[in-house]
């Protein structure tokens, strides 16, 4: 990843030196450093290169009624109405999800076409809706916890009719890692411990709930559990340790 970040910075530099761009824009191309996440990457390109990529966290036709109900429940808490009738930000926030981390950046769609253009995020590399990982994640900054609604498609089979343990581990790493990044900025997974309690049927919808245990210097400790949507059945438990990393210095910013 470090090499990709350096390449992004060099691309920004080269774009900023192009005469055609300099003549059209009063302000040179700039690169901004990380804030809350390594996935909110660094490129701020001029408007011709910016476009809106597909957000996989939004509902599609493959979502079950149960997944839709949970989505609407948490999404309705992202914006609340005051007594005066005004809209304001609620306790929860939905996190967008793209098939490349680059696309979180302004101009990321353009950059993703020139930097490892065939690369795709592991959980978002299947085009067929509902075939693999269908999920949406919400975070609550005040309570320092997150919720992920996950529907497992038929391509994730392990034991007949049930979700592969590796797919469950992938979701646990993704959810806890995203949560740790949201809380602590750029992080890397140092340790992930998983206890499988009961299998998850293919096509079912489950909840992944993560919470911050503690922070010690560069270390962020997260706990996560996978349950049925009503919380009556525990499928999996996990604890994770993440280390904060300083990536911005690689870009010279």
């Amino acid at each position: 990843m470090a090499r990709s970040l350096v390449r992004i910075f060099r691309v920004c530099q080269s774009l900023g030196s192009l005469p055609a761009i300099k003549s059209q824009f009063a302000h040179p191309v700039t690169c901004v450093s990380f804030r809350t996440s390594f996935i909110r990457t660094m490129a701020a390109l001029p408007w011709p290169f910016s476009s809106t990529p597909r957000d996989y966290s939004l509902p599609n036709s493959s979502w079950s009624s149960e997944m839709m109900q949970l989505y609407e429940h948490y999404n309705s808490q992202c914006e609340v109405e005051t007594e005066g009738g005004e809209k304001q930000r609620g306790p929860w926030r939905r996190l967008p999800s793209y098939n490349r981390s680059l696309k979180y950046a302004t101009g990321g769609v353009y950059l993703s076409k020139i930097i490892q253009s065939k690369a795709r995020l592991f959980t978002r590399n299947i085009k067929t809706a509902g075939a693999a990982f269908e999920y949406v994640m919400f975070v609550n900054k005040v309570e320092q916890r997150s919720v992920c609604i996950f529907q497992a498609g038929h391509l994730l089979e392990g034991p007949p009719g049930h979700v592969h343990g590796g797919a469950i581990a992938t979701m646990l790493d993704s959810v806890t890692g995203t949560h740790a990044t949201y809380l602590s900025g750029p992080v890397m997974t140092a340790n992930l411990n998983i206890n499988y309690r009961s299998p998850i049927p293919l096509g079912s919808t489950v909840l992944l709930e993560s919470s911050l245990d503690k922070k010690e210097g560069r270390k962020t400790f997260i706990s996560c559990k996978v349950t049925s949507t009503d919380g009556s059945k525990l499928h999996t438990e996990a604890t994770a340790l993440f280390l904060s990393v300083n990536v911005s210095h690689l870009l010279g910013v």
Side-chain angles (χ1 to χ4, degrees):
M1 179 178 178
R3 293 180 181 177
S4 296
L5 298 178
V6 173
R7 292 179 66 186
I8 293 172
F9 181 62
R10 289 174 179 171
V11 168
C12 290
Q13 285 184 317
S14 63
L15 287 174
S17 65
L18 292 177
I21 293 179
K22 283 188 173 181
S23 64
Q24 292 180 26
F25 301 99
H27 301 285
V29 177
T30 59
C31 287
V32 296
S33 61
F34 289 91
R35 289 187 177 182
T36 59
S37 165
F38 68 88
I39 55 179
R40 288 176 176 79
T41 8
M42 307 63 44
L45 293 178
W47 64 265
F49 304 118
S50 299
S51 61
T52 303
R54 176 186 171 187
D55 185 350
Y56 286 79
S57 71
L58 295 175
N60 63 60
S61 59
S62 75
W63 286 20
S64 66
S65 58
E66 189 175 29
M67 187 166 182
M68 278 301 305
Q69 289 174 2
L70 286 167
Y71 172 84
E72 291 169 356
H73 169 73
Y74 285 101
N75 199 52
S76 66
Q77 299 180 59
C78 293
E79 187 178 69
V80 295
E81 188 172 312
T82 65
E83 293 182 357
E86 297 181 354
K87 298 285 187 179
Q88 66 178 28
R89 186 169 177 173
W92 290 92
R93 178 185 177 187
R94 179 183 62 83
L95 298 183
S97 180
Y98 307 116
N99 63 6
R100 289 205 70 187
S101 297
L102 277 176
K103 293 181 180 179
Y104 278 81
T106 302
V109 175
Y110 175 76
L111 287 174
S112 69
K113 293 179 180 179
I114 61 176
I115 300 175
Q116 297 276 336
S117 61
K118 293 183 179 181
R120 294 293 180 270
L121 189 66
F122 181 56
T123 56
R124 297 301 193 190
N125 64 4
I126 303 297
K127 292 183 178 180
T128 305
F133 298 94
E134 291 290 341
Y135 64 95
V136 55
M137 188 170 172
F138 295 87
V139 293
N140 188 315
K141 187 175 183 179
V142 174
E143 298 180 6
Q144 297 184 321
R145 66 191 186 98
S146 72
V147 171
C148 176
I149 309 164
F150 170 48
Q151 178 180 291
H154 61 275
L155 295 182
L156 302 184
E157 186 179 57
H162 293 84
V163 183
H164 195 289
I168 299 171
T170 295
M171 285 304 302
L172 285 165
D173 187 42
S174 297
V175 170
T176 55
T178 300
H179 190 194
T181 297
Y182 186 81
L183 295 171
S184 304
V187 297
M188 297 294 288
T189 308
N191 184 270
L192 181 63
N193 291 315
I194 302 174
N195 291 312
Y196 296 96
R197 302 299 186 188
S198 60
I200 300 173
L202 281 178
S204 64
T205 301
V206 295
L207 283 178
L208 288 85
E209 300 178 83
S210 71
S211 58
L212 174 67
D213 289 336
K214 60 181 178 178
K215 294 175 68 174
E216 294 179 351
R218 294 177 56 214
K219 299 178 180 180
T220 300
F221 296 83
I222 302 285
S223 293
C224 188
K225 63 180 180 178
V226 185
T227 67
S228 56
T229 55
D230 62 2
S232 63
K233 178 174 285 188
L234 176 63
H235 292 291
T236 315
E237 292 178 299
T239 57
L241 166 62
F242 298 91
L243 295 179
S244 295
V245 293
N246 183 6
V247 187
S248 59
H249 74 278
L250 296 175
L251 303 175
V253 295

